[in-house]
Amino acid sequence: MREERDPAWWASVASHPAVAPHVFGGGPAFDFSGSITNPASLPLRSENGGIIFLPLDPLATTLEMHTMYLPQGWGREVAVAAKRMMDRAFEAALVVVTYEQQGHYRTRPPRHHGWTLSGAPRDIGLACPLIGWALTRDQWNASPAKRRLQCQ
């Protein structure tokens, strides 16, 4: 796991046909390089993808999480890397939020990490409504995923 601030690397992952519909919500691709190069963001990668954490407040106590992995990274790679990435995010953050695209199970965060539903589906103009999820540092630290990470 390492920080990756090269927008071209992230764009290559996001533009993959199996990934793009989930990154861009079924709409046209857009430039998100400013999120990658922003010093307040935390773009972490493993071999075939990664997680971009974006601050939602000036102190970065609340982060918005965006996960994207190429198909060859689905499964074990993302499962192992995400645990370490969550630990890194919670070094400073108190809360991490993310969004599930209604009807797209691959966009749902893993419940064994401690995520809780934070609202009903909302239509925000994308191809499908979004469902909010939240994870506090305390929930993460008490989760089965975090306990397994400590044993590895």
Side-chain angles (χ1 to χ4, degrees):
M1 173 190 78
R2 66 182 175 96
E3 281 191 36
E4 180 59 72
R5 296 203 177 267
D6 179 6
W9 185 87
W10 288 99
S12 71
V13 175
S15 63
H16 187 281
V19 180
H22 305 293
V23 172
F24 302 112
F30 53 84
D31 179 16
F32 58 92
S33 60
S35 297
I36 304 302
T37 58
N38 178 349
S41 71
L42 181 60
L44 300 174
R45 70 167 277 192
S46 56
E47 184 178 347
N48 294 294
I51 299 176
I52 303 167
F53 295 96
L54 303 174
L56 294 181
D57 63 84
L59 300 177
T61 59
T62 303
L63 300 175
E64 183 177 87
M65 180 180 88
H66 298 274
T67 306
M68 62 180 91
Y69 270 84
L70 298 171
Q72 55 268 38
W74 295 349
R76 182 163 177 75
E77 181 184 340
V78 68
V80 171
K83 294 173 191 174
R84 288 175 174 34
M85 292 175 187
M86 294 304 294
D87 260 357
R88 176 78 183 278
F90 279 121
E91 286 176 5
L94 299 175
V95 178
V96 174
V97 298
T98 194
Y99 311 98
E100 171 189 352
Q101 295 174 4
Q102 188 175 31
H104 297 276
Y105 73 93
R106 287 197 185 279
T107 65
R108 184 177 307 136
R111 292 196 183 193
H112 69 281
H113 283 198
W115 291 94
T116 55
L117 192 61
S118 64
R122 293 187 57 198
D123 183 358
I124 64 164
L126 297 174
C128 56
L130 295 182
I131 302 166
W133 291 86
L135 179 66
T136 67
R137 182 188 293 163
D138 289 343
Q139 287 170 309
W140 168 244
N141 286 332
S143 73
K146 170 71 174 183
R147 285 193 304 272
R148 281 194 297 275
L149 176 63
Q150 292 170 331
C151 295
Q152 295 178 356

